[in-house]
Amino acid sequence: MSCIKLIVGLGNPGKQYEQTRHNAGFWFVEEVARQYQVQFRPETKFLGDVARVQSNGMDVWLLKPMTFMNRSGQSIQSLANFYKISADEILVVHDELDLAPGVAKLKSNGGHGGHNGLRDTIAALGTRTFHRLRLGIGHPGHKDQVVDYVLRAPSKPDFQAIEDAIYDASHVLPELLSGEMERAMHQLHTQ
């Protein structure tokens, strides 16, 4: 596997969305920025907020697209093209309805599973061959309730479980950044 050079947290910009389940991807990259003691800054040419961390002598970019969820791919594509980052060097972090709060799973490739942020990313990059970190948020029980559910804040216990999963997932970053996806998966999935 290639080393990860871009970590994208999916979410929606704006105060009204900060604490919603759909912003779990933002929460992850914010935690990574905190651990590496870097700050996000707006970058209009990338349609998002960007931070840079150093790992193993390489630049690793953190990105929070400010395009809203269903246009995330535009932001990802612009940064990836500018820095010549291939799809297999990208980790997209997103909320996952099919996993319980507190569960984090790594995945390589795959479809969008109905997630509009992934759908747009696949369309913009022209491939599904990027890596994903799926952060469980649980499911409301019926597909008609999904939109309302993802755009609401989780309960305190669910939020704590999601935070715990983010913390656990952040501890496999050294493996991801050095290209050891299988090792990172094993470590994260057996916690």
Side-chain angles (χ1 to χ4, degrees):
M1 175 190 136
S2 299
C3 299
I4 297 296
K5 295 182 182 172
L6 170 58
I7 303 172
V8 182
L10 296 186
N12 286 309
K15 275 267 189 236
Q16 70 272 33
Y17 298 110
E18 278 180 5
Q19 298 304 313
T20 64
R21 291 175 180 92
H22 227 12
N23 275 32
F26 277 13
W27 302 343
F28 180 82
V29 292
E30 288 163 357
E31 173 61 18
V32 173
R34 187 192 66 72
Q35 289 180 17
Y36 279 87
Q37 300 176 354
V38 297
Q39 300 290 317
F40 280 94
R41 67 185 187 291
E43 280 287 350
T44 53
K45 70 181 170 190
F46 302 137
L47 308 168
D49 291 352
V50 177
R52 183 182 65 178
V53 300
Q54 292 279 314
S55 176
N56 301 326
M58 293 183 340
D59 287 336
V60 178
W61 298 96
L62 305 178
L63 173 64
K64 295 191 303 183
M66 292 291 132
T67 52
F68 286 95
M69 185 66 77
N70 35 345
R71 291 287 171 243
S72 301
Q74 295 172 341
S75 176
I76 297 167
Q77 180 187 41
S78 63
L79 191 145
N81 286 349
F82 186 84
Y83 289 110
K84 297 177 179 33
I85 298 171
S86 64
D88 68 337
E89 298 171 321
I90 299 172
L91 176 68
V92 176
V93 186
H94 64 91
D95 57 300
E96 178 60 64
L97 289 163
D98 294 333
L99 296 175
V103 176
K105 298 278 185 189
L106 286 162
K107 178 179 180 180
S108 293
N109 307 325
H112 56 73
H115 194 290
N116 288 329
L118 291 177
R119 183 190 319 266
D120 194 62
T121 300
I122 290 167
L125 295 178
T127 183
R128 301 167 182 232
T129 62
F130 54 90
H131 305 284
R132 300 104 192 273
L133 173 60
R134 304 159 60 218
L135 298 172
I137 61 166
H139 198 285
H142 193 277
K143 66 179 182 169
D144 294 341
Q145 299 170 322
V146 167
V147 172
D148 200 37
Y149 180 77
V150 299
L151 295 177
R152 286 207 176 137
S155 66
K156 283 188 193 238
D158 282 359
F159 181 74
Q160 186 58 57
I162 295 166
E163 288 259 292
D164 292 345
I166 286 170
Y167 183 76
D168 290 344
S170 73
H171 284 272
V172 301
L173 270 180
E175 287 79 13
L176 289 171
L177 298 181
S178 62
E180 299 176 76
M181 178 62 114
E182 292 298 322
R183 188 170 173 196
M185 282 181 163
H186 178 74
Q187 190 175 329
L188 181 61
H189 298 176
T190 56
Q191 288 184 7

